[in-house]
Structures are given as structure tokens and as C-alpha cells.
């Protein structure tokens, strides 16, 4: 390595002047202008703009109040998105990957975008390769699965090419940068190598379906309403525009998409303050559905602060040289994992034996080896892998059963044949390493158990050690464990992950297959990890969570990065996900009520040749006191229970019965109005109050079971609605409520409540009989 020479400061300046710098071709974050355009120029806003222009044209000023609401919503959305973006950018800066480069004869750590062409970079285990380069001095193993989809590690020798977007899983080397910026392989394939698996959002899918459906109805319904009003009933342009605009406004659940995005963006900010980086906003939603949480042991369940507790040497001809051998081993190794760093801290004395050849540690092998001059091949790793039949001393077994990590140090006489002949190695010593359990582990595990999340520990460590620590953390059935190295078929692997909560000696590929097995059984899986051995599993998990102290590769691929590394922070992450999904699901029923009855009333108006029974100002009040206020106030309730139903079924359970009841009231009043001697304005006044009360009845059903807080919200909502209606009575264009009209209102309301109650029982029976898959 000493022969490798990097660039000088002058050479770096020359490359910068030539523009040969590893600058990312795309901005990392959206600009203010992009955010502004994204939220202003939307389909909803286009509809609202056209409707507003039509109302302005006929000078229906009192009907334009909705424009203020839409404008305020848009401004709030833009502000929240910018705030969320800034928070993510700040946290990204904290975990931004760095690269070690050899310049002016010494190693420097710089940002990836400061790399220049022909720079000599030093790559270690866990680092993601940021520029295409060529290996200069030492073999390394590379994972190119993010580029090629192939999970098997690729051995790279001197002169081989390393592709940006892949990462080092074993060894370390110097490499010369051959491409930067736009010329990098990962950039040429649109940076797919650095992209996480896109999150499938059920909320977004549902909203898009509803938006697509309502958008298809807007044009034909508006044409029919306009034609009937002006061509058949000969209504004035003013009346026609106002009535038609009201129908179109009611079809669009404008506030729901906003509420969802703002709710998720707010969670991004709240989690950011707790040192959690959210790299995919809608993964917060996915997290709320998680059924299984798979934990790694080292650095996740434990503190990752390893210490050598004991060194037990065996009586061999090498006993008196053991410390010198280990000093030489740690000096010659290129490994930078937690175990290697722990050994380096402990063995710091004279290192007389130089390194001739090496095999770096990998999670698949569970060992590393060095050929030391005048000594032979020294192997360090898992005892059961190096010498499966070797019996550990009693005190070492006891330490293992208490959660200690055990390393066997063995010697083989021939580096060329030791991998095929490891059983003839001579054990030199056993090292006991302690990695304490996190202080918050037990409390965190208990939270997940209490909240319907099954916790499994999948580790590459000895299953006895993993079991001991899992038991201390309170993992269910931790004493029943399985050794993944004994699993030889896919069926055995599947049985293991389905039936055990503690799995040891799992290879990276086995971890990956276990995640896929759980998903095959319809389980939503969250995976936490910090090492390169976790990357494959993290990549395909439904939710991936990396610890801030982990490898670059783990952090780059994960949707969440817990920067402070505290396990209890994951509780905050899950709580945020469940709070958001529960709040949005309940709010959706409030918003979709209006969408359902508006569409059905519009069709009814066309079939019965009658004007739409509401004006925009009436709908605005209904929006605020049926959708806005109740859905906003419910946000203050901390509901972290696991969602039981999809947003569609929840809407069907609560919105559908009341919406149908409102539509049947419209039909009944239209047909009975001549018999009851009701004018059109009187009938529409009854409908306004009936719609309001039936809508509040639905809020009551959503709020059930009622507690003090919800009771207060309902009372405030009802009182505020009555007061505002009274104060703005002229703007609402309602008929005076006489005693006779009041009686008809009570009768209509009773009819609507009976219909909604009966329909609700039918819908609930259907949903309970045919539960969601």
C-alpha cells in the first residue's frame, strides 16, 4: 500500500479547473420554485380556478368564499413542504457519505462531490462506491446487487473495475477514479443504483382512483346540468352557474390530499427533531401497517460498544507469542467492522510479524485470515465455523450463554490450502467479547409486543449468544432458537422464519430470503440493520431502518435513518406512522361523504330535472364543520392502534350509509314537495339542515366510543355551525324556518336517521362477514 501515490494539491486544482469533478447531475432537493409549481398547478386548482372565473363572471361574490379556503390550504401546503425539505436536507448533511482520498501523501476525508478524476480513493468494508474506479493494490469483494440484481458477491482483483453504486462487503483497497459525474456508470443508468425501492402508498393509490373517477364525471355531469338549467328549465345564467359550480365543487375532495401530505410532512419534521431522517415520505404510511419487525443484533439490539472481556489461551508452542501474533494480525488486517476495531483497541503492542497475504472478513464466511511471516496462517472467527467439533472450555460456554461473543484464534500451516483443510487448524486461543444490551431495548421490545408487531432477531452471530441477549431484551420465545447454518433447503428456511423468533448464523442471502418468505405469507416487514450484511434484506423489506452508526450502504438504501442510534427512537417512528394513517383514514370518511352524496345528488338532479339543491357558500360551511374542523381536531388524539381496515372499507362503513340517506332525503322531498305545498327554496332549506345533521351524525359514529374530548369537539362543532348559519343566514339564501317547516325538517331528519342506521347495520354485517384479506 505504501507504493500507491495519490494526487498532489496542484493536480487536484488542475482537475477542478478542467471540470473533472464528481458533481451530481441532478439537484438533491426540490427548489422553492418546483415546490410552488407542484402545489399551485394541480388538477384540483385548475377546476377551482375555472369555477371561480365562472362565478366572478356572473358576479356571484358570496359564492367565492371557497377560493379563500383553497388559497390558504395551498399556502400551508407549500410552507410545510419547504419546511420538510429543509429538515431532510439538514439531516442528509449529517449522514452524507464521505470518501477517503490519498492526496499529498496522506489520507483525507472529503465529500463525494469533491472527488476529481484520477483521485486515489481508499475503500473499506461498508462503503458505497461513489465513482467508477480501478483497483490498485488489494483484492476486495463487492456487492453489485443494486446494479445488476445479482446477490452473489463479486471478487475484484488488481486492475478490475469498481462500479459506482456498488459497495465493498469485504476487504479494503486503494483505487484510481476513472469516471466522475455524468460519466459514472450509476449516473448513466439514471442513478438507479442509489435509488431505494419505491414505496407503494395505499393512500395515494386510493386518492388517485377517486380523483380519476370524479374527474371523468365532472365534464358530462356539468354539461347535463347546464343544458337542463338553461335549455329545459330556462333558468338565468347566474342561477345556472351558481348551482352547477356547487355540484362540481362538492365532487372534489380537495382538502383530503392536502391533509394527507401536510400530515406526513409534519411527521417528517417531528421525526427530524428526534434525529430520524425520513428518506421516503410515504414510507411513514407503510410503517403503520407493519406486522413483523426484524432486528439485527449487533449495533441494533446491542449498544455496538464491544469490549474484550477475557482472552483464554491454549497450551501450544505459540502461547508465549500469542500477544505478538495478535498485535501483528490487527495491524495487518484491512477489516473495519466492529469486531476488528475492538481487537485493534485491545492488541496495541509491538507487531513484529509482517503480513504476506490476507482473506478479509465477510458475513458469509464468518472468519478472516492473515498469513504472517514466520508464523503461518492465523484465522480469526466463529469457533463452530473454523473447528465445528472443537469443545469450548466451560467458562467460555457460560459466557456465551450470557450473551458474549466468542472468537476462536487458530493457526494453519499453509495459506494456499487452509480454506479446504481448516479442520486441521490448531486452536491458539479464545477471545470473549462483550457487547452490552441497549438500555432502552426491553422497553422498546415491549412496546412492539403490546402493539401487534411480531419481533424477530436475525443475526449472523452464534445463536446461543443471540438467544441470551434476546431473552434479556424480552423477545418472545427467545430460548427457542435455530442455527441458520443448518438450513439447507428453501423450505427449512421458510419454516425457520415463520416459527422462530431468534435465528443465529444467518448469512446475508439468508436474511434476504427470510424477508421474502415473510412477504410471501402476506406479512408487512420492517427490517433494521447497520452493516453491509443487512443491505440485501433492507433493500427488499417493506420498511427499511438503518442505524446512524452503520455503513454507508445501509444508510443509503434505507427509508429511515435513526441518526442517534437509539432503539427507542423506532417507537417514535412507528407511532408517527400509525398516528398519520389513523388520522387520515378517519378524515377520509368525512371528506368522501360529501363526494359520494354530491355525485349521487347531481345524477338525481339530472334524472328528476331539478336544480342542484345547494349553493357554494352552503357547501363551504358544510365543508368546514363536517370535514375541516372535526378532521383537524381528531389530529390531537394520539391513536397509535394498528389500522384494521383499508381506507376504502372504512369509508364504506361510515360514509356510505349517511351519504345514501342524504340522497334519499333529496328524492323524497322532491317528490313530496308539491303535496306538502313546499316551495323549492323551502325544500332546499330542509335539505341543508338535514344534510348538516346527518353529516354530524356520521362524525358521531366515527368518534365513537365517545370520551370527554370528543364530546367537547362535537358540542363546539354543532354550536359553531348553528351560530355561523344564523349570522350568515342571508348569504346562505335559506327560507325562514316556520313552525311548519320545522316539523317537516324533523320528519325528514328522522327518515334520514332511520335509513342511515339501517344501512349502517347492513354494511357493518357485510364487512364483518367478509373481512379484509
Amino acid at each position: 500500500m505504501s507504493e500507491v501515490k495519490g494526487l498532489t494539491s496542484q493536480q487536484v486544482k488542475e482537475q477542478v479547473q478542467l471540470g473533472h469533478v464528481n458533481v451530481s447531475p441532478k439537484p438533491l432537493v426540490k427548489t422553492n420554485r418546483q415546490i410552488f409549481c407542484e402545489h399551485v398547478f394541480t388538477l384540483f386548482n385548475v377546476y377551482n380556478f375555472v369555477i371561480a372565473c365562472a362565478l366572478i363572471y356572473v358576479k356571484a361574490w358570496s359564492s367565492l368564499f371557497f377560493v379563500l379556503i383553497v388559497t390558504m390550504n395551498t399556502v400551508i401546503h407549500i410552507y410545510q413542504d419547504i419546511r420538510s425539505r429543509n429538515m431532510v436536507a439538514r439531516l442528509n448533511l449529517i449522514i452524507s457519505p464521505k470518501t477517503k482520498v490519498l492526496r499529498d501523501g496522506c489520507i483525507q476525508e472529503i465529500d463525494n462531490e469533491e472527488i476529481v478524476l484520477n483521485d486515489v480513493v481508499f475503500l473499506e468494508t461498508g462503503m458505497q462506491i461513489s465513482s467508477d474506479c480501478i483497483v490498485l493494490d488489494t483484492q476486495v469483494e463487492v456487492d453489485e446487487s443494486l446494479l445488476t440484481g445479482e446477490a452473489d458477491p463479486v471478487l475484484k482483483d488488481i486492475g478490475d473495475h469498481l462500479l459506482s453504486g456498488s459497495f465493498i462487503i469485504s476487504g479494503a483497497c486503494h483505487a484510481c477514479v476513472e469516471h466522475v459525474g455524468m460519466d459514472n456508470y450509476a449516473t448513466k443508468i439514471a442513478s438507479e443504483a442509489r435509488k431505494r425501492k419505491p414505496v407503494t402508498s395505499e393512500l395515494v393509490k386510493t386518492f388517485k382512483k377517486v380523483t380519476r373517477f370524479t374527474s371523468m364525471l365532472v365534464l358530462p355531469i356539468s354539461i347535463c346540468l347546464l343544458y337542463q338549467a338553461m335549455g329545459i328549465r330556462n333558468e338565468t345564467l347566474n342561477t345556472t352557474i351558481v348551482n352547477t359550480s356547487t355540484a362540481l365543487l362538492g365532487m372534489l375532495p380537495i382538502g383530503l390530499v392536502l391533509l394527507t401530505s401536510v400530515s406526513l410532512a409534519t411527521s417528517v419534521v417531528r421525526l427530524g427533531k428526534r434525529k430520524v431522517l425520513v428518506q421516503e415520505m410515504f414510507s411513514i404510511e407503510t410503517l403503520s401497517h407493519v406486522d413483523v419487525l426484524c432486528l439485527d443484533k449487533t449495533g441494533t439490539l446491542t449498544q455496538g460498544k464491544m469490549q474484550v472481556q477475557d482472552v483464554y489461551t491454549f497450551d501450544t508452542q505459540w502461547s508465549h507469542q500469542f500477544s505478538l501474533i495478535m498485535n501483528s494480525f490487527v495491524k495487518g488486517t484491512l477489516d473495519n467492522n466492529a469486531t476488528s476495531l475492538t481487537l485493534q483497541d485491545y492488541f496495541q503492542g509491538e507487531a513484529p510479524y509482517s503480513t504476506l497475504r490476507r482473506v478479509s472478513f465477510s458475513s458469509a464466511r464468518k472468519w478472516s485470515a492473515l498469513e504472517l511471516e514466520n508464523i503461518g496462517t492465523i484465522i480469526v472467527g466463529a469457533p463452530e465455523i473454523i473447528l465445528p467439533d472443537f469443545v469450548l472450555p466451560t467458562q467460555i460456554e457460560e459466557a456465551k450463554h450470557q450473551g458474549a461473543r466468542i472468537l476462536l484464534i487458530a493457526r494453519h500451516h499453509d495459506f494456499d490450502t487452509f480454506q479446504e483443510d481448516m479442520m486441521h487448524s490448531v486452536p491458539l486461543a479464545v477471545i470473549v467479547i462483550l457487547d452490552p444490551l441497549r438500555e432502552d431495548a426491553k422497553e422498546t421490545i415491549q412496546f412492539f409486543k403490546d402493539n401487534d408487531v411480531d419481533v424477530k432477531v436475525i443475526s449472523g452471530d452464534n445463536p446461543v449468544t443471540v438467544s441470551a441477549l434476546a431473552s434479556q431484551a424480552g423477545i418472545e420465545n427467545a430460548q427457542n432458537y435455530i442455527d441458520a447454518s443448518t438450513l439447507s433447503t428453501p423450505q427449512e428456511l421458510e419454516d425457520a422464519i415463520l416459527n422462530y423468533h431468534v435465528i443465529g448464523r444467518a448469512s446475508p442471502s439468508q436474511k434476504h430470503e427470510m424477508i421474502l418468505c415473510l412477504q410471501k405469507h402476506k406479512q408487512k416487514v420492517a427490517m433494521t440493520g447497520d452493516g453491509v450484511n443487512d443491505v440485501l434484506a433492507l433493500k427488499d423489506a417493506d420498511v427499511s431502518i438503518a442505524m446512524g452508526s452503520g455503513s454507508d450502504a445501509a444508510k443509503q438504501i434505507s427509508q429511515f435513518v435513526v441518526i442517534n442510534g437509539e432503539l427507542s427512537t423506532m417507537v417514535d417512528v412507528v407511532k408517527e406512522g400509525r398516528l398519520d394513517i389513523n388520522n387520515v383514514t378517519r378524515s377520509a370518511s368525512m371528506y368522501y361523504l360529501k363526494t359520494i352524496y354530491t355525485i349521487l345528488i347531481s345524477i338525481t338532479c339530472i334524472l328528476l330535472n331539478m336544480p342542484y339543491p345547494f349553493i357554494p357558500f352552503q357547501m363551504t360551511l358544510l365543508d368546514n364543520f363536517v370535514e375541516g374542523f372535526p378532521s383537524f381536531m381528531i389530529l390531537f388524539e394520539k391513536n397509535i392502534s394498528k389500522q384494521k381496515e383499508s381506507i376504502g372499507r372504512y369509508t364504506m362503513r361510515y360514509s356510505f350509509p349517511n351519504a345514501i340517506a342524504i340522497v334519499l332525503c333529496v328524492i323524497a322531498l322532491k317528490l313530496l314537495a308539491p303535496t306538502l305545498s313546499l316551495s323549492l327554496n323551502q325544500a332546499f332549506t330542509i335539505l341543508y339542515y338535514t344534510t348538516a345533521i346527518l353529516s354530524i351524525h356520521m362524525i358521531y359514529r366515527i368518534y365513537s366510543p365517545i370520551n370527554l374530548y370528543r364530546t367537547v369537539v362535537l358540542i363546539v362543532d354543532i354550536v359553531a355551525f348553528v351560530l355561523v348559519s344564523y349570522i350568515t343566514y342571508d348569504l346562505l339564501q335559506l327560507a325562514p324556518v316556520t313552525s311548519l317547516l320545522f316539523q317537516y325538517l324533523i320528519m325528514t331528519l328522522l327518515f334520514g336517521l332511520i335509513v342511515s342506521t339501517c344501512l349502517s347495520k347492513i354494511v357493518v354485517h357485510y364487512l364483518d362477514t367478509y373481512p379484509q384479506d
Side-chain angles (χ1 to χ4, degrees):
M1 282 193 177
S2 58
E3 298 179 359
V4 177
K5 294 182 180 180
L7 299 179
T8 63
S9 298
Q10 181 59 38
Q11 290 173 321
V12 171
K13 289 180 182 178
E14 291 172 1
Q15 293 290 0
V16 172
Q17 290 172 354
L18 291 171
H20 299 160
V21 186
N22 194 44
V23 177
S24 176
K26 294 182 180 180
L28 297 176
V29 294
K30 290 183 287 188
T31 64
N32 289 348
R33 180 178 178 180
Q34 287 173 318
I35 292 174
F36 179 84
C37 293
E38 188 176 283
H39 298 307
V40 171
F41 302 109
T42 65
L43 180 62
F44 283 152
N45 286 349
V46 169
Y47 281 150
N48 286 315
F49 179 75
V50 172
I51 293 170
C53 288
L55 291 170
I56 291 171
Y57 179 75
V58 297
K59 300 180 180 180
W61 308 115
S62 63
S63 298
L64 287 169
F65 187 74
F66 76 92
V67 175
L68 177 62
I69 303 298
V70 171
T71 302
M72 288 175 59
N73 285 342
T74 303
V75 170
I76 292 170
H77 199 178
I78 291 171
Y79 167 77
Q80 195 63 48
D81 210 357
I82 290 174
R83 186 182 177 209
S84 173
R85 178 208 62 189
N86 292 343
M87 175 65 75
V88 170
R90 285 196 296 271
L91 295 179
N92 257 318
L93 191 60
I94 295 175
I95 69 158
S96 177
K98 309 287 185 181
T99 297
K100 293 180 180 179
V101 295
L102 182 62
R103 291 179 179 176
D104 294 324
C106 61
I107 294 290
Q108 304 174 23
E109 193 170 62
I110 62 173
D111 289 332
N112 285 347
E113 293 199 348
E114 295 177 4
I115 296 172
V116 299
L117 192 65
N118 297 326
D119 244 331
V120 173
V121 296
F122 181 62
L123 301 172
E124 300 175 283
T125 302
M127 291 183 62
Q128 190 166 34
I129 300 167
S130 54
S131 289
D132 299 345
C133 46
I134 301 172
V135 179
L136 295 178
D137 55 2
T138 311
Q139 283 186 343
V140 289
E141 283 183 300
V142 177
D143 189 317
E144 296 181 343
S145 61
L146 304 184
L147 299 170
T148 64
E150 295 296 330
D152 294 333
V154 180
L155 184 65
K156 299 288 186 176
D157 211 334
I158 297 173
D160 287 343
H161 297 269
L162 301 175
L163 300 178
S164 56
S166 57
F167 55 91
I168 308 294
I169 61 171
S170 173
C173 71
H174 286 87
C176 181
V177 174
E178 61 172 340
H179 296 136
V180 291
M182 290 290 291
D183 295 328
N184 277 319
Y185 180 81
T187 306
K188 289 180 179 179
I189 59 170
S191 297
E192 287 297 322
R194 295 191 177 106
K195 286 187 179 179
R196 293 166 293 279
K197 185 179 70 172
V199 175
T200 302
S201 169
E202 292 300 322
L203 290 178
V204 173
K205 285 169 63 178
T206 302
F207 296 160
K208 284 184 176 179
K209 286 180 182 178
V210 174
T211 302
R212 193 180 303 117
F213 177 71
T214 53
S215 300
M216 289 171 59
L217 294 177
V218 164
L219 187 59
I221 286 178
S222 61
I223 291 173
C224 291
L225 290 174
L226 288 170
Y227 171 73
Q228 284 191 334
M230 299 186 71
I232 299 177
R233 296 193 300 271
N234 295 317
E235 294 178 357
T236 64
L237 180 63
N238 184 297
T239 302
T240 301
I241 292 296
V242 170
N243 287 338
T244 305
S245 297
T246 308
L248 299 183
L249 286 171
M251 292 181 194
L252 306 174
I254 299 169
L256 184 56
V257 177
L258 171 72
L259 178 72
T260 304
S261 298
V262 169
S263 181
L264 292 174
T266 303
S267 289
V268 170
V269 174
R270 281 201 297 260
L271 289 172
K273 291 178 179 178
R274 296 169 196 165
K275 293 293 184 268
V276 178
L277 171 61
V278 182
Q279 304 200 92
E280 171 55 65
M281 187 170 72
F282 281 100
S283 60
I284 295 175
E285 173 205 340
T286 310
L287 192 61
S288 68
H289 301 297
V290 162
D291 302 303
V292 182
L293 173 64
C294 296
L295 296 174
D296 182 37
K297 179 185 76 70
T298 306
T300 303
L301 201 58
T302 63
Q303 296 178 19
K305 299 175 182 177
M306 296 186 181
Q307 290 183 336
V308 174
Q309 184 191 40
D310 194 13
V311 177
Y312 186 96
T313 56
F314 302 115
D315 187 16
T316 66
Q317 68 182 80
W318 310 98
S319 299
H320 66 286
Q321 295 175 272
F322 181 73
S323 293
L324 298 176
I325 290 172
M326 287 306 299
N327 293 344
S328 302
F329 184 93
V330 298
K331 184 178 180 180
T333 186
L334 298 179
D335 295 328
N336 67 340
N337 56 59
T339 304
S340 296
L341 296 176
T342 302
L343 294 177
Q344 289 172 30
D345 288 340
Y346 188 81
F347 296 101
Q348 294 186 339
E350 179 188 0
Y353 308 116
S354 59
T355 300
L356 302 178
R357 289 179 287 180
R358 62 174 65 83
V359 178
S360 296
F361 177 84
S362 79
S363 298
R365 281 191 293 269
K366 312 294 184 191
W367 54 262
S368 62
L370 260 69
E371 183 183 16
L372 297 178
E373 189 176 16
N374 300 325
I375 295 296
T377 301
I378 301 299
I379 311 165
V380 176
E384 64 270 29
I385 302 297
I386 299 173
L387 293 172
D389 299 327
F390 182 69
V391 179
L392 293 171
T394 304
Q395 63 267 41
I396 302 299
E397 281 289 348
E398 290 176 355
K400 185 166 67 174
H401 281 86
Q402 292 174 3
R405 169 174 286 190
I406 309 301
L407 291 181
L408 177 66
I409 316 300
R411 177 192 175 276
H412 195 279
H413 65 280
D414 186 7
F415 185 86
D416 294 320
T417 62
F418 83 95
Q419 296 192 49
E420 294 78 27
D421 188 37
M422 205 174 289
M423 65 182 69
H424 290 112
S425 301
V426 177
L428 302 182
V430 173
I431 299 176
V432 179
I433 296 178
L434 285 185
D435 188 5
L437 192 72
R438 289 186 181 273
E439 294 179 0
D440 55 358
K442 196 164 187 177
E443 179 184 350
T444 303
I445 298 303
Q446 189 60 48
F447 167 83
F448 287 118
K449 288 168 66 176
D450 294 341
N451 285 274
D452 303 322
V453 178
D454 197 17
V455 181
K456 296 177 183 287
V457 181
I458 309 174
S459 174
D461 209 340
N462 185 285
V464 177
T465 301
V466 181
S467 172
L469 285 165
S471 295
Q472 295 172 30
I475 299 290
E476 186 178 357
N477 296 324
Q479 67 279 6
N480 298 323
Y481 56 84
I482 191 167
D483 187 336
S485 63
T486 65
L487 307 175
S488 56
T489 67
Q491 185 59 50
E492 289 177 344
L493 196 73
E494 185 171 341
D495 292 340
I497 192 59
L498 293 178
N499 299 308
Y500 288 88
H501 287 81
V502 175
I503 301 174
R505 289 295 175 227
S507 68
S509 60
Q510 284 179 319
K511 286 187 178 184
H512 181 221
E513 289 300 321
M514 288 175 187
I515 297 297
L516 298 180
C517 284
L518 289 170
Q519 291 172 331
K520 186 177 78 172
H521 286 268
K522 308 298 182 184
Q523 300 285 299
K524 291 282 186 182
V525 185
M527 173 74 192
T528 70
D530 63 350
V532 292
N533 58 319
D534 302 316
V535 170
L536 288 175
L538 288 169
K539 182 168 70 74
D540 280 330
D542 296 289
V543 179
S544 49
I545 306 169
M547 293 306 189
S549 59
S551 66
D552 288 345
K555 288 185 286 191
Q556 292 298 308
I557 203 66
S558 295
Q559 294 152 1
F560 296 91
V561 180
V562 181
I563 295 173
N564 60 15
E566 295 178 5
L567 192 63
S568 59
T569 305
M570 290 172 55
V571 172
D572 296 327
V573 178
V574 172
K575 283 182 177 179
E576 283 294 338
R578 291 193 173 181
L579 278 172
D580 283 335
I581 193 68
N582 287 328
N583 291 337
V584 170
T585 300
R586 288 182 294 186
S587 298
S589 295
M590 304 176 197
Y591 282 92
Y592 283 146
L593 171 70
K594 187 188 69 171
T595 298
I596 295 170
Y597 75 65
T598 299
I599 292 173
L600 294 178
I601 289 176
S602 298
I603 295 172
T604 300
C605 290
I606 294 171
L607 296 175
L608 298 179
N609 188 24
M610 60 179 281
Y612 192 78
F614 305 111
I615 62 172
F617 189 71
Q618 293 174 353
M619 295 302 294
T620 299
L621 286 192
L622 290 174
D623 286 349
N624 284 310
F625 293 103
V626 177
E627 300 172 359
F629 181 73
S631 64
F632 175 74
M633 295 307 294
I634 205 71
L635 298 180
F636 293 96
E637 278 207 326
K638 304 301 182 183
N639 181 4
I640 59 169
S641 59
K642 190 173 182 180
Q643 187 192 23
K644 304 300 182 185
E645 287 186 313
S646 68
I647 192 170
R649 290 172 67 90
Y650 197 91
T651 300
M652 185 178 178
R653 183 182 294 271
Y654 292 102
S655 303
F656 184 75
N658 288 62
I660 296 299
I662 291 170
V663 175
L664 291 178
C665 287
V666 172
I667 296 173
L669 274 174
K670 167 62 177 174
L671 298 177
L672 295 175
T675 306
L676 300 175
S677 300
L678 289 173
S679 67
L680 201 60
N681 193 31
Q682 288 176 321
F684 288 174
T685 299
I686 293 173
L687 280 176
Y688 171 73
Y689 286 113
T690 301
T691 301
I693 295 172
L694 286 174
S695 299
I696 292 173
H697 173 252
M698 184 201 68
I699 303 299
Y700 170 81
R701 292 173 54 226
I702 292 174
Y703 271 26
S704 295
I706 295 295
N707 55 27
L708 179 60
Y709 174 77
R710 297 179 181 187
T711 301
V712 172
V713 172
L714 280 172
I715 292 173
V716 171
D717 191 43
I718 294 169
V719 171
F721 173 74
V722 172
L723 284 175
V724 173
S725 296
Y726 176 77
I727 294 170
T728 60
Y729 206 80
D730 291 338
L731 292 176
L732 289 169
Q733 300 179 21
L734 299 174
V737 181
T738 62
S739 59
L740 183 62
L741 197 67
F742 184 74
Q743 292 176 31
Y744 290 151
L745 170 60
I746 296 299
M747 293 169 59
T748 307
L749 186 58
L750 287 174
F751 170 73
L753 288 172
I754 292 171
V755 170
S756 66
T757 302
C758 293
L759 283 176
S760 179
K761 290 184 181 296
I762 294 171
V763 170
V764 168
H765 176 73
Y766 171 80
L767 293 175
D768 292 344
T769 304
Y770 301 98
Q772 188 174 2
D773 292 334

